């Protein structure tokens, strides 16, 4: 079993710790100076705890921290007070935005007239690389996705042809 190792930017961590030790609280009032002192002590305690972690624990912590801050590879996090304000500031519901940005569609055959079954099988064969038996089996398994990953124009064309033959088609 192999172990996971990562390089921790030690220079940035030491720079952070030295700035913590050099920072002096601003003494505008007694309550402000005690608040600043407790913040500094808290940050020093956190830094000490981070230094006590093993490499694997630091790696897990870095992933968790990025996730909590919304810096993961899947885009910004959608939780917390700041994201709620950002979502409220957006125009329209998120579903409408996702539908407007969608470029790849799946053509799903919902149902069809029994009298048009042979025509639909022939049409399915024209836009897929299926043989007669495979196309027949696919059409008989309704509802089924007959074309995956089609562009908007291609999906509309396929849906229109199938609707003309008496089928009910949905673009997903």
């Amino acid at each position: 079993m192999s172990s996971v190792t990562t390089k921790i930017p030690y220079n940035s961590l030491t720079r952070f710790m030295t700035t913590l030790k050099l920072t002096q609280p601003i003494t505008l009032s007694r309550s402000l100076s005690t608040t600043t002192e407790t913040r500094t002590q808290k940050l020093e305690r956190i830094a000490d705890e981070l230094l006590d972690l093993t490499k694997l624990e630091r790696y897990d912590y870095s992933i968790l921290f990025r996730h909590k801050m919304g810096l993961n590879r899947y885009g910004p996090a959608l939780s917390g007070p700041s994201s709620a304000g950002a979502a409220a500031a957006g125009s329209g519901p998120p579903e409408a935005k996702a539908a407007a940005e969608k470029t790849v569609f799946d053509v799903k055959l919902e149902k069809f007239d029994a009298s048009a079954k042979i025509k639909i099988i022939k049409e399915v064969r024209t836009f897929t690389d299926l043989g007669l038996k495979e196309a027949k089996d696919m059409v008989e398994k309704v509802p089924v996705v007959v074309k995956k990953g089609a562009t908007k124009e291609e999906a509309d064309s396929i849906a229109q042809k199938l609707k003309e033959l008496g089928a009910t088609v949905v673009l997903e």
Side-chain angles (χ1 to χ4, degrees):
M1 183 159 128
S2 65
S3 65
V4 177
T5 59
T6 63
K7 291 186 177 180
I8 304 295
Y10 185 74
N11 294 340
S12 61
L13 186 60
T14 55
R15 192 178 321 123
F16 172 72
M17 289 189 57
T18 55
T19 57
L20 283 177
K21 292 180 181 178
L22 296 176
T23 305
Q24 295 296 322
I26 302 172
T27 55
L28 297 175
S29 68
R30 181 108 172 114
S31 63
L32 182 62
S33 69
T34 57
T35 304
T36 308
E37 287 175 356
T38 56
R39 282 187 193 163
T40 304
Q41 291 171 352
K42 181 180 177 182
L43 291 175
E44 285 182 14
R45 180 184 52 80
I46 292 171
D48 289 338
E49 288 177 9
L50 287 174
L51 288 174
D52 290 339
L53 296 176
T54 64
K55 286 183 180 181
L56 187 58
E57 289 171 333
R58 277 185 255 167
Y59 176 75
D60 291 341
Y61 173 76
S62 69
I63 292 173
L64 177 66
F65 187 72
R66 281 189 226 126
H67 180 70
K68 294 272 187 178
M69 293 295 291
L71 301 175
N72 56 357
R73 72 173 75 174
Y74 303 110
L78 295 176
S79 63
S82 63
S83 63
S91 60
E95 296 85 22
K97 291 179 185 177
E101 296 171 1
K102 193 169 182 179
T103 59
V104 178
F105 295 89
D106 294 338
V107 180
K108 184 176 183 181
L109 180 63
E110 291 283 323
K111 59 182 178 178
F112 60 89
D113 293 334
S115 61
K117 181 177 177 180
I118 295 172
K119 293 178 184 175
I120 291 174
I121 292 171
K122 287 181 181 179
E123 188 61 36
V124 167
R125 288 190 64 207
T126 61
F127 59 83
T128 61
D129 294 332
L130 298 175
L132 182 61
K133 183 178 182 328
E134 291 86 5
K136 179 181 176 275
D137 291 342
M138 178 184 280
V139 170
E140 288 176 347
K141 291 180 185 177
V142 171
V144 66
V145 175
V146 292
K147 180 75 172 180
K148 291 184 180 182
T151 63
K152 176 75 172 158
E153 296 81 23
E154 183 183 9
D156 285 337
S157 171
I158 293 169
Q160 185 63 29
K161 289 177 185 176
L162 290 173
K163 285 179 183 177
E164 288 173 0
L165 295 174
T168 304
V169 181
V170 177
L171 298 181
E172 295 180 340

